[in-house]
Amino acid sequence: RWSFVVDAGMDAATGKRRQVRRTGFLTRKAALEELSEIVGDKGTLPRAAPSRQTIGSFAADWLETVRPSLKPSTWSGYNQKLRAHVIPKIGAIPMRSVTPGLLTAHYGQLLESGNRRGNVSGGPLSARTVLHVHKILHRMFADA
C-alpha cells in the first residue's frame, strides 16, 4: 500500500501545523496522481482565503501559542515589546496588508520617537531594542 503526507502550513487559529494525509493506494502511480490533483500544477497546496485578522489580534494569539516553548523571561520580553511598540502603533493593520515598506517605516518611527512606554511623543528607542522588535516580528510572521 502507498500513502503520502503533504504539509499545508500553519493553522492561524491554533498555531499548529496542518497536514493532508492520504493512504490506501494500491500503486505508487495512483498515489502520485492523487497527490498531483491535491497539489495542482503549481506544486503547492491551495491557500485559504485571506483573513481579516489584524497584526494586533494575531500577535496576542501568537504570544499564547509560543508561550510553552519559551523561557518565562523570553516570553515576558516578547510580550512587553509587542504590547509597547507594535500593537499600539500598527496593531490595527490587517495581516494581509503587511509589506516590507510598512515594517521599515515602523522601525524608523521607533528609532525616532518610540520611548520605553510606547508613546510616540517620547524619545528614540535604541537600535538594539528596535532590532529585538524586528526579530520578534520576523519570528511571528514566519510562524504566520
Side-chain angles (χ1 to χ4, degrees):
R1 302 273 174 171
W2 289 86
S3 63
F4 63 85
V5 179
V6 179
D7 196 22
M10 299 292 284
D11 184 354
T14 64
K16 294 183 179 181
R17 189 168 91 179
R18 293 183 304 138
Q19 293 182 329
V20 174
R21 297 174 187 266
R22 297 290 188 269
T23 61
F25 298 98
L26 296 177
T27 64
R28 181 173 188 244
K29 183 178 179 180
L32 288 173
E33 287 173 1
E34 177 72 12
L35 176 64
S36 67
E37 284 182 30
I38 291 174
V39 174
D41 295 334
K42 295 180 183 178
T44 58
L45 289 172
R47 293 201 171 257
S51 155
R52 296 182 195 265
Q53 188 172 29
T54 63
I55 293 171
S57 68
F58 183 83
D61 294 343
W62 177 78
L63 273 171
E64 292 309 313
T65 302
V66 297
R67 188 176 200 155
S69 66
L70 300 174
K71 292 181 182 177
S73 60
T74 303
W75 184 86
S76 178
Y78 281 18
N79 184 43
Q80 185 275 328
K81 285 179 179 61
L82 284 173
R83 294 194 189 284
H85 306 301
V86 176
I87 293 173
K89 295 173 180 154
I90 61 171
I93 297 171
M95 287 285 287
R96 65 176 180 223
S97 300
V98 175
T99 62
L102 173 90
L103 294 175
T104 301
H106 177 63
Y107 299 146
Q109 287 177 340
L110 291 176
L111 286 168
E112 288 179 15
S113 61
N115 70 7
R116 290 180 184 256
R117 292 177 188 83
N119 299 329
V120 269
S121 60
L125 286 177
S126 70
R128 183 178 171 102
T129 301
V130 175
L131 178 63
H132 287 165
V133 170
H134 165 73
K135 287 180 177 182
I136 294 165
L137 287 175
H138 181 81
R139 179 173 175 183
M140 184 181 85
F141 286 120
D143 288 348

